[in-house]
Amino acid sequence: MKEEIAELLAPYQREKGALIPALQKIQEKYGYLPPDAIKEAAQLLNVSVNELYGVATFYAQFRFTRPGRHSIKVCLGTACHVRGGARIMDRVQDELGIRAGEVTEDYRFGMERVACFGCCALAPVVVVDQDIHSKMTPVKTLEVLKRYE
Ligand code: FES
């Protein structure tokens, strides 16, 4: 990982204020900020590990745990909730054995709850990666998930 990080951050090593783009580059490569990458980056960018974590934790865009290969977002906003969003969430959680905010053991899926996607007329809505699935039911959702290996 050491060489990879050095190569990745080569353009930022002499630039002041390049911490955020450097962190973005790392996250782009690994999907999150692995602790070893943070350590390497701190050394290369001549800042302390604490300082780098301080910057990274300030911004919601940075993740500190490895994400699933596919992200499932179940909407629990009002329109989706009254049309069965919570039942979908419960069924998916039971099926995958994870709760919102967690990732399956095989890293196939990560799941989150969302407050509203802004397309309430399609409720209940489930988004997998970039695909919007409308008027979902628990059974339809499980069918859809089979398409994502
Ligand atoms: S409440 Fe689900 S899309 Fe708006």
Side-chain angles (χ1 to χ4, degrees):
M1 181 179 275
K2 192 174 181 155
E3 288 80 29
E4 271 178 3
I5 298 294
E7 195 177 310
L8 210 57
L9 301 189
Y12 306 107
Q13 284 184 30
R14 301 204 190 293
E15 268 186 59
K16 265 197 160 200
L19 299 185
I20 293 168
L23 290 168
Q24 287 169 330
K25 271 282 177 205
I26 295 170
Q27 184 158 288
E28 208 177 285
K29 173 136 181 96
Y30 299 103
Y32 72 115
L33 301 176
D36 288 349
I38 294 266
K39 267 191 225 155
E40 285 303 321
Q43 226 170 21
L44 290 165
L45 300 169
N46 210 20
V47 295
S48 72
V49 171
N50 282 347
E51 192 177 342
L52 205 48
Y53 269 115
V55 172
T57 53
F58 184 79
Y59 296 97
Q61 66 177 296
F62 295 116
R63 304 177 53 106
F64 300 94
T65 54
R66 184 177 155 187
R69 290 193 303 284
H70 303 289
S71 81
I72 306 166
K73 295 186 180 98
V74 179
C75 184
L76 293 181
T78 306
C80 289
H81 185 77
V82 298
R83 292 186 180 101
R87 282 198 316 273
I88 294 172
M89 182 66 128
D90 288 346
R91 189 71 180 88
V92 174
Q93 287 183 151
D94 288 348
E95 185 70 19
L96 299 181
I98 56 172
R99 300 274 148 221
E102 294 178 349
V103 174
T104 55
E105 250 177 46
D106 60 1
Y107 291 98
R108 182 176 169 205
F109 291 115
M111 186 168 62
E112 291 166 48
R113 56 191 294 168
V114 170
C116 179
F117 285 109
C119 52
C120 308
L122 305 176
V125 176
V126 174
V127 174
V128 184
D129 296 337
Q130 306 301 321
D131 310 326
I132 298 169
H133 301 279
S134 59
K135 303 196 186 292
M136 296 303 280
T137 64
V139 172
K140 272 169 77 178
T141 304
L142 296 183
E143 282 302 310
V144 161
L145 295 183
K146 286 182 187 165
R147 293 186 224 151
Y148 296 86
E149 283 308 315

